[in-house]
Amino acid sequence: MIIITLSRIFHRCMDYFRFRSSSSGGRSTASETDHHHHQLIPRISRKYRSLSFDSGLRLIASLSNNHQRIESPTRLVMSSSVSNSDRKIVTGSAGYILEDVPHFTDDFPDCPTYPNPLQDNAAYSVVKQYFVDDDDTVPQKIVVHPDSPRGTHFRRAGPRQRVYFESDDVLACIVTCGGLCPGLNTVIREIVCGLSYMYGVKRILGIDGGYRGFYARNTIHLDTNTVNDIHRSGGTILGTSRGGHDTTKIVDSIQDRGINQVYIIGGDGSQKGAAAIFEEIRRRKLKVAVAGIPKTIDNDIPIIDRSFGFDTAVEEAQRAINAAHVEATSFENGIGLVKLMGRYSGFIAMYATLASRDVDCCLIPESPFFLEGPGGLFEFISKRLKESGHMVIVIAEGAGQDLLAESIEESKTLKDASGNKLLQDVGLWISQRIKDHFAKKMTLNLKYIDPTYMIRAVPSNASDNVCCTLLAQSAVHGVMAGYNGFTVGLVNGRHTYIPFYRITEKQNKVVTTDRMWARLLSSTNQPSFMKHDDIDSNQLVGEPGTMKW
Ligand SMILES: Nc1ncnc2c1ncn2[C@@H]1O[C@H](COP(=O)(O)OP(=O)(O)OP(=O)(O)O)[C@@H](O)[C@H]1O
Ligand SMILES: O=P(O)(O)OC[C@H]1O[C@](O)(CO)[C@@H](O)[C@@H]1O
Ligand SMILES: [Mg+2]
């Protein structure tokens, strides 16, 4: 209690002194602001006026004179896979851990701050508690036991009282990288509108064609007029690409152009690229903010509940599954087989199956299966056709690749420009294997539907548009508030700022020992096709309890 009270008093004092220091004119320049600080702020506030949240907490902990009952918040500097990357970890009582994100004041303790322009905006100033309290954090785990530690938390996203950029000084850029995803244009639109309408930023550049566009192409001017209608179209107006991430050339370009805010919209690979750019920017001591907005129809990014595009992709997949169902029910022993995207993670297949109710069998990369013999796929097909005369199978593109690799040796080594495994067409392969197996046993009518790019080339649906808007606004608020090197994401339904290293350290996968996969098995009434050995090794993958809705 004592530490919390002291912390709050500290923040209120800081707000007061900061407010006083700039009260003479809203949009003061850096030098004017410094001047006011020097004139008005008492010694203690001058000394600590640019302390970050955790350093503030440490200060209070030391002021509290090592009170025995209080576990003083501590910042631990841990090793990182990326050089120069300090992990900001604040610990508190009852096993509380904040995995914080970097802040401008970590590298530039004296950098000036300004009042948030939103506080003069009538639309926002009437909103009670519009600004996020600096103490607000969001727990990663919401299911807890009475004696379990409070665990990892992430900083809550949203606008802060003070910002670290003057609107006229901002030169922002936006880049889209990796595969397409419904909603890319909406995110671009909402970053531009958020920066312009909320923070009065006028200079925003689009980077043409993914990471290599930084050094190989001209930039694209973006404003609220040019982006006005883009959310109605699929794809990305900026273009995208795989490969071409040359960190030195990219940061040279950022430096040469005078860009000071970088918004990177992309999947797991893109977030790794963002982390590398951030590290290089820090190494060069540039005052440039880097923020990631996660893009993934595969839902393969860890920590977050989900990101934009997934909902639309699942909805679009329903059209293929419906067609497969209609074909299957219209022919004797009809089988409709649908292949859906999902290179390493089977979430699209799993949720499309749960949504449809017409699917008899769902096969995903995380759940090994086999074809022949007792308990195998052929036996199940035979049983289901005898019971109902038709069936629908959904298979994720990454499923059964080990079975294919046995027959096609070179498929193990093929990679795309970003280093992702290039997959063989499991849909064609399994269709042929099923046909061959049943050829002499019974009449079979198998129709293979491969919607591939159709589920990601469409514009985002209503729910994803909301998701895009909130993510974009949260990213803009975070950058303006001086946070840096973060990916914005939904954690237990709240928007948070997550350090890059937590986003890039592993991939999110369906946990086949989790309740959601069990729910799918109960819905399709398919066998798990798992042997006991598979279950043990499979428990190790994934972030348990991710898809929470
Ligand atoms: N480890 C890495 N370090 C730096 N850059 C990377 C890294 N991995 C990928 N990138 C770059 O990020 C960009 C996008 O990566 P990738 O093609 O894997 O797509 P992605 O962002 O993972 O999206 P998706 O998986 O949805 O297609 C590419 O330009 C690639 O060069
Ligand atoms: O053919 P492309 O453009 O490389 O994209 C294919 C991949 O992109 C994704 O949609 C997203 O990572 C994967 O599911 C799929 O394997
Ligand atoms: Mg990826």
Side-chain angles (χ1 to χ4, degrees):
M1 276 312 292
I2 294 170
I3 193 85
I4 291 166
T5 310
L6 278 168
S7 161
R8 287 189 185 286
I9 291 168
F10 172 80
H11 282 293
R12 298 292 170 263
C13 291
M14 296 299 290
D15 282 346
Y16 172 73
F17 291 128
R18 282 166 177 163
F19 175 73
R20 282 200 54 189
S21 73
S22 56
S23 60
S24 59
R27 306 277 175 89
S28 50
T29 64
S31 56
E32 279 168 356
T33 307
D34 275 350
H35 174 74
H36 288 301
H37 275 298
H38 285 274
Q39 293 293 306
L40 300 170
I41 302 173
R43 277 184 63 185
I44 185 161
S45 78
R46 260 183 63 186
K47 185 168 173 197
Y48 298 114
R49 69 178 185 265
S50 52
L51 281 180
S52 59
F53 172 62
D54 52 340
S55 19
L57 287 177
R58 271 183 297 151
L59 165 70
I60 291 161
S62 68
L63 290 176
S64 72
N65 206 13
N66 291 331
H67 194 285
Q68 284 305 303
R69 218 170 50 79
I70 297 165
E71 292 175 41
S72 345
T74 333
R75 176 175 166 182
L76 303 176
V77 178
M78 295 168 61
S79 66
S80 161
S81 55
V82 193
S83 60
N84 297 333
S85 167
D86 291 354
R87 297 189 177 197
K88 289 174 68 178
I89 298 181
V90 182
T91 57
S93 60
Y96 171 91
I97 299 166
L98 167 63
E99 292 210 32
D100 205 359
V101 294
H103 191 269
F104 266 167
T105 49
D106 298 340
D107 296 326
F108 307 99
D110 294 322
C111 71
T113 71
Y114 312 91
N116 192 323
L118 288 171
Q119 74 187 32
D120 302 322
N121 184 323
Y124 300 98
S125 53
V126 293
V127 181
K128 205 173 157 220
Q129 291 184 331
Y130 186 72
F131 293 107
V132 169
D133 193 304
D134 267 349
D135 292 341
D136 283 359
T137 58
V138 178
Q140 186 180 3
K141 288 209 165 76
I142 48 168
V143 179
V144 289
H145 296 171
D147 52 357
S148 63
R150 292 173 64 203
T152 300
H153 292 61
F154 298 107
R155 190 169 279 284
R156 185 180 180 188
R160 288 352 198 226
Q161 297 272 1
R162 307 287 305 178
V163 295
Y164 285 76
F165 288 94
E166 270 213 293
S167 308
D168 290 345
D169 290 344
V170 174
L171 177 55
C173 75
I174 307 173
V175 62
T176 50
C177 313
L180 290 184
C181 179
L184 282 166
N185 281 332
T186 313
V187 177
I188 297 168
R189 184 188 193 280
E190 295 309 314
I191 293 173
V192 173
C193 292
L195 279 168
S196 308
Y197 296 146
M198 295 191 296
Y199 290 101
V201 170
K202 294 190 187 69
R203 298 186 304 151
I204 309 168
L205 302 174
I207 303 299
D208 188 353
Y211 279 130
R212 61 167 58 88
F214 272 104
Y215 54 85
R217 301 268 179 87
N218 289 328
T219 54
I220 300 161
H221 168 78
L222 297 174
D223 61 33
T224 51
N225 287 328
T226 54
V227 300
N228 192 46
D229 286 327
I230 64 173
H231 59 294
R232 298 181 209 287
S233 314
T236 158
I237 58 152
L238 300 178
T240 184
S241 61
R242 299 195 188 275
H245 187 285
D246 185 323
T247 313
T248 306
K249 284 189 187 170
I250 291 169
V251 179
D252 284 351
S253 160
I254 289 169
Q255 201 169 357
D256 293 347
R257 293 178 201 274
I259 291 167
N260 51 17
Q261 294 189 359
V262 183
Y263 296 91
I264 295 168
I265 313 169
D268 57 333
S270 307
Q271 303 302 314
K272 287 179 190 151
I277 292 170
F278 172 64
E279 287 303 320
E280 179 60 15
I281 279 173
R282 249 187 151 175
R283 198 187 63 75
R284 296 190 193 183
K285 299 187 176 13
L286 305 177
K287 200 171 156 236
V288 176
V290 182
I293 295 101
K295 162 216 76 80
T296 167
I297 58 163
D298 290 355
N299 194 42
D300 55 4
I301 297 185
I303 311 290
I304 59 175
D305 300 349
R306 62 163 175 146
S307 198
F308 69 91
F310 178 76
D311 201 45
T312 308
V314 168
E315 197 170 294
E316 196 61 21
Q318 300 303 299
R319 287 150 56 88
I321 295 173
N322 284 342
H325 179 66
V326 169
E327 290 286 340
T329 50
S330 304
F331 293 90
E332 183 188 359
N333 287 331
I335 298 181
L337 191 125
V338 179
K339 185 186 77 173
L340 294 175
M341 280 192 170
R343 195 188 272 135
Y344 306 107
S345 309
F347 287 103
I348 299 177
M350 178 164 88
Y351 275 78
T353 297
L354 279 164
S356 150
R357 317 292 308 165
D358 287 331
V359 180
D360 296 273
C361 183
C362 174
L363 302 168
I364 59 170
E366 297 89 336
S367 183
F369 65 94
F370 55 99
L371 302 178
E372 320 254 3
L377 182 65
F378 293 154
E379 186 188 75
F380 176 60
I381 292 174
S382 191
K383 181 171 165 281
R384 191 51 61 94
L385 289 179
K386 273 190 197 119
E387 284 164 3
S388 46
H390 63 270
M391 76 181 292
V392 173
I393 301 172
V394 164
I395 186 161
E397 62 178 335
Q401 290 291 320
D402 51 332
L403 301 177
L404 266 108
E406 283 167 14
S407 47
I408 313 167
E409 186 52 35
E410 72 272 19
S411 69
K412 286 178 189 165
T413 49
L414 295 177
K415 297 212 163 139
D416 71 12
S418 294
N420 300 302
K421 199 165 65 179
L422 271 180
L423 304 176
Q424 297 297 319
D425 190 334
V426 71
L428 272 180
W429 173 81
I430 206 165
S431 298
Q432 198 54 52
R433 290 298 307 268
I434 294 170
K435 283 180 189 166
D436 291 348
H437 179 83
F438 289 98
K440 292 193 181 130
K441 296 185 176 68
M442 61 164 91
T443 309
L444 199 87
N445 280 292
L446 189 147
K447 307 291 162 63
Y448 172 40
I449 299 177
D450 180 2
T452 56
Y453 299 107
M454 291 176 69
I455 68 167
R456 71 175 203 189
V458 289
S460 44
N461 67 12
S463 118
D464 273 334
N465 268 336
V466 174
C467 182
C468 293
T469 304
L470 300 188
L471 283 171
Q473 290 193 0
S474 297
V476 167
H477 288 314
V479 164
M480 290 301 296
Y483 294 111
N484 205 349
F486 67 84
T487 300
V488 61
L490 263 188
V491 174
N492 296 315
R494 298 287 177 152
H495 288 86
T496 63
Y497 302 133
I498 306 164
F500 281 142
Y501 68 86
R502 287 303 310 272
I503 290 291
T504 56
E505 66 191 356
K506 63 178 172 185
Q507 277 183 322
N508 189 38
K509 300 201 176 193
V510 173
V511 179
T512 51
T513 50
D514 207 352
R515 291 152 63 102
M516 206 45 140
W517 185 243
R519 288 175 184 134
L520 178 135
L521 297 180
S522 342
S523 154
T524 58
N525 201 18
Q526 71 187 68
S528 78
F529 302 114
M530 288 179 93
K531 299 175 195 138
H532 196 260
D533 291 355
D534 296 329
I535 294 172
D536 283 343
S537 58
N538 220 275
Q539 276 175 336
L540 301 175
V541 296
E543 188 73 29
T546 23
M547 306 295 283
K548 298 176 194 77
W549 23 262

